[in-house]
Amino acid sequence: MSPVRRWLVAALGTAALLVLLPLTVLAHPLGNFTVNHYTELDLSGARLHLHRVVDMAEIPTFQERRRIADAGGEAAYLDRRVAAEVGDLHVDVDGRGVPLRVDRHLLRFPPGAGGLQTLRLEVLVSADLPSSGAHDLGFEDIADPTLIGWREVTARADHGTHLVTSDVPGRSVSDELRRYPDDLLSNPLHTATARLRFVAGSSTVAAPPTLGGAAGGLRVVTDRYTTLVSAPHLTLGVVALALLAAVALGAAHALSPGHGKAIMAGYLVGTQRTRRHAIILGLTITLTHTVGVFVLGLITLYAAAVVTPERLYPWLTLISGLLVLVLGLVLVIARVRRALHGADHDHHHHHQALRRRGLVALGISGGLLPCPSALIVMLAAISLHRVAFGLGLIVAFSVGLAGVLVGIGLLLAGGTALMRRIPRVAAAAARSRIVRLLPIGSAVLITVVGLGLTMQAVAAPG
């Protein structure tokens, strides 16, 4: 074996190990865009204690770090941030607003993905309660409802105060935003209000809860791609292996849910002479996916005061869903007409088919939602002063993604040919009917995907 070939085999083997080894980092389990809120209402004697926790994932934390620098340090930043958090908490007793006062706060930056940090802010707020009798208490968290993330409220009573009724639980299912339940990751809690009836206890002032008292942190999850950018030492060999690993991880990423594969299937299955279309679709999805990363990165860096990624992402989902829905309906109409008038009629009347602009629009809609991990790599590269390396990792990741998507598209493009090779034992009429109806079914699939994305965006909190 020649030295060059030996080196190539070793490099590929090492890249494979990088992909397969359990490289563990602290990545936010709810997603890199999320801003999560928790409020505990503790009715203790004649005092109400509110324990407010804000847990930010890597991308919002990156933006907060810039705001801290702009404010001139953590102390000045905390003055504004804590005041804003308290301003989002509204409490009334028997219909009358109750003034809140800040007792203490704690700010920490636990490690996150790609060498970035997450943010955990805890604020302890208190208010006076009536010292006797039964009363109704209302609570509302009016923090920006368009933020993506978890929102949870709990209530408990002690030191002689008794809860008669409560529409929120007494214990946090997320351990105060430390460990999010696996079964709720895809459908986070969104509780922002509480209604309680309580019987007041003694006027004895109870000790307030402690901040950061419980041990534990975010659940450890694996994100191999984001670990590449934060390698301790960058040598030529490490860079080469990291780029190879990024290609492999991009290929694996293409096989995960999403990335327009259902859209590709819906368009390509049952159509004729579509290998060129498969390549256009795969490359358009990848290009849109990659450009979206750079656009969101630039917004995070330079336009956070106007719009932030966590607010933009739901709108991207809605736009993507509407695009897919409209184009799916156009495809259904075109393919129904083709089935009614026959393939020859359609061949001579190309206007019934989706034109290249529609094909590109499908690709754009399929890739409109950028990969959060790639955005993390970009931001981490900037914070680590490794911009060129980070851009190289994103491009390598996109090469792997494009290779798999184009390959899937080329396989799907042979759908009609495969249908025509159905065993001769099948009745010719039935075979012909399947070949005719398959394009319609695949167009319906695109429409269903678009409808699902649209409903998901519309049903999102806020």
Side-chain angles (χ1 to χ4, degrees), residues 63-74 77 107 109 119:
Q63 296 168 323
E64 289 301 297
R65 276 296 200 185
R66 292 171 64 88
R67 294 188 182 106
I68 290 173
D70 293 340
E74 285 189 10
Y77 163 81
L107 178 65
F109 295 94
L119 181 149

Side-chain angles (χ1 to χ4, degrees), residues 2 8 17 31 38 72 123 126 160 182 225 242 305 322 348 353 370 424 434:
S2 68
L8 182 59
L17 286 175
Y38 167 73
V123 183
S126 63
D182 291 337
Y225 179 40
L322 290 174
H348 290 97
R424 293 181 181 275
I434 292 173

Side-chain angles (χ1 to χ4, degrees), residues 19 64 102 117 128 160 191 203 209 223 244 246 272 324 335 381 414 440:
V19 175
E64 289 301 297
V102 177
Q117 297 173 317
D128 295 325
T191 304
S203 59
D223 190 344
L244 284 172
Q272 301 180 34
V324 175
R335 290 181 177 180
I440 299 175

Side-chain angles (χ1 to χ4, degrees), residues 246-298:
V247 172
L249 290 168
H253 184 67
L255 298 175
S256 63
H259 305 102
K261 290 185 290 295
I263 296 171
M264 294 178 71
Y267 179 73
L268 297 172
V269 172
T271 59
Q272 301 180 34
R273 300 182 299 277
T274 54
R275 285 185 174 84
R276 178 171 56 87
H277 293 164
I279 294 172
I280 292 173
L281 262 179
L283 293 180
T284 303
I285 291 172
T286 303
L287 181 62
T288 308
H289 213 53
T290 305
V291 169
V293 171
F294 292 121
V295 170
L296 279 186
L298 292 174

Side-chain angles (χ1 to χ4, degrees), residues 137-152:
L137 185 147
F139 167 79
E140 183 179 11
D141 172 10
I142 64 167
D144 190 347
T146 64
L147 294 173
I148 305 173
W150 184 280
R151 197 161 297 200
E152 183 181 6

Side-chain angles (χ1 to χ4, degrees), residues 266 269-272 331-346 415-420 422 427-444:
V269 172
T271 59
Q272 301 180 34
L331 269 177
V332 169
I333 294 171
R335 290 181 177 180
V336 167
R337 286 178 176 174
R338 176 168 48 182
L340 293 175
H341 295 92
D344 290 338
H345 179 84
D346 179 71
T416 302
L418 288 175
M419 290 302 300
R420 289 199 175 109
I422 292 177
R431 186 167 67 247
S432 175
R433 189 178 301 113
I434 292 173
V435 172
R436 223 172 33 246
L437 294 179
L438 183 62
I440 299 175
S442 61
V444 170

Side-chain angles (χ1 to χ4, degrees), residues 384-405:
L384 294 171
H385 306 290
R386 296 176 172 179
V387 177
F389 180 51
L391 295 180
L393 288 175
I394 293 173
V395 171
F397 187 83
S398 298
V399 168
L401 180 71
V404 171
L405 288 180

